[in-house]
Amino acid sequence: MTASRLRAWAADYLWALDRQARALRRRRPLPSGPGGRAPVVLLPGVYETWEFLRPVATALAAAGHPVHPVRALRHNRRPVAEAAEVAAGYLEDADLHGAVLVAHSKGGLVGKHVMLSAAGTRVAGMVTVATPFAGSRWARYMVGRGLRSFSPDDPGLLALAAQDEVNPRITAVYPRFDPHIPQTVHLPGGRNVEVALDGHFRPLGQPALVRLVVAEVDRIEDASR
């Protein structure tokens, strides 16, 4: 690995540690704005709280989108299908319609499950960042079923990939270098956007990615009208 990629990897983990520390502090107010646009539901990655998505959430709220974190996911340790049931339940309990899911990493797999469920009629589309739709070859070396389930040959992941009817309503955003997902995260049939950023976590706080996510959420909302 080159020196520049090693630096990017280190910066990525420092950013993630900072986000975890923020989540342990006193709860900060949910980002809010003028409202009037499509509701957004936040789906964080594995071992993450929605704090990882706060930079994006703040910009979305400022653009008029009511922001909904699914707090019951906590650190998103449940299996993907179980986490999807929690998220789908939130959509129904909050009676959201025309919602746009904004997800990171594992959250994108959870979101796709939601879109394929009965609650999917409440979802206009999804924007997800660095989601291992085809898995990650590093996953098979991880400790614990929760991380090994992202292996490219995992039956659950393969079954989810085979259900491609909602792919056209998903925007898959991915960095040019992701230390967690060394292969492509290209989603067949989806809208795929590579950004000139490095890292798995840190791009979530970069202005270029934040602007892109807001623009894609607005595009999905407009297309669903």
Side-chain angles (χ1 to χ4, degrees):
M1 185 177 293
T2 65
S4 63
R5 289 199 166 183
L6 284 172
R7 288 193 295 270
W9 199 328
D12 199 44
Y13 277 105
L14 286 172
W15 193 90
L17 287 171
D18 176 70
R19 286 288 132 182
Q20 295 287 18
R22 289 170 186 257
L24 293 174
R25 298 173 194 158
R26 184 169 51 190
R27 182 178 292 180
R28 295 188 290 162
L30 186 69
S32 62
R37 302 297 302 269
V40 167
V41 177
L42 306 177
L43 301 174
V46 65
Y47 303 137
E48 299 173 12
T49 69
W50 74 269
E51 273 292 342
F52 277 67
L53 288 161
R54 182 178 282 273
V56 172
T58 300
L60 286 165
H65 296 278
V67 174
H68 296 260
V70 184
R71 297 187 189 276
L73 286 177
R74 300 177 66 84
H75 285 81
N76 202 3
R77 294 190 178 106
R78 294 178 176 85
V80 170
E82 285 184 28
E85 290 179 6
V86 173
Y90 180 88
L91 280 162
E92 293 168 352
D93 292 344
D95 196 24
L96 299 181
H97 296 274
V100 181
L101 309 179
V102 172
H104 176 237
S105 194
K106 174 188 174 182
L109 302 177
V110 173
K112 185 176 177 183
H113 261 285
V114 171
M115 293 174 71
L116 290 164
S117 74
T121 58
R122 298 174 178 270
V123 178
M126 177 169 67
V127 182
T128 186
V129 179
T131 290
F133 287 109
S136 170
R137 64 173 177 262
W138 299 135
R140 58 174 58 96
Y141 305 113
M142 297 294 103
V143 176
R145 169 64 184 160
L147 293 176
R148 288 202 302 272
S149 66
F150 302 128
S151 174
D153 55 2
D154 179 81
L157 197 63
L158 290 171
L160 183 62
Q163 295 178 279
D164 59 2
E165 58 266 36
V166 298
N167 289 11
R169 293 193 285 130
I170 298 174
T171 297
V173 180
Y174 45 91
R176 62 189 172 189
F177 166 64
D178 187 331
H180 287 259
I181 311 172
Q183 64 269 42
T184 181
V185 295
H186 185 276
L187 178 67
R191 180 176 171 88
N192 293 276
V193 184
E194 181 179 297
V195 291
L197 297 170
D198 297 325
H200 187 72
F201 306 105
R202 189 166 175 261
L204 292 172
Q206 299 300 299
L209 185 133
V210 170
R211 288 192 298 269
L212 173 60
V213 171
V214 173
E216 284 298 305
V217 169
D218 288 345
R219 184 190 63 79
I220 289 171
E221 178 187 14
D222 292 342
S224 68
R225 289 175 176 169

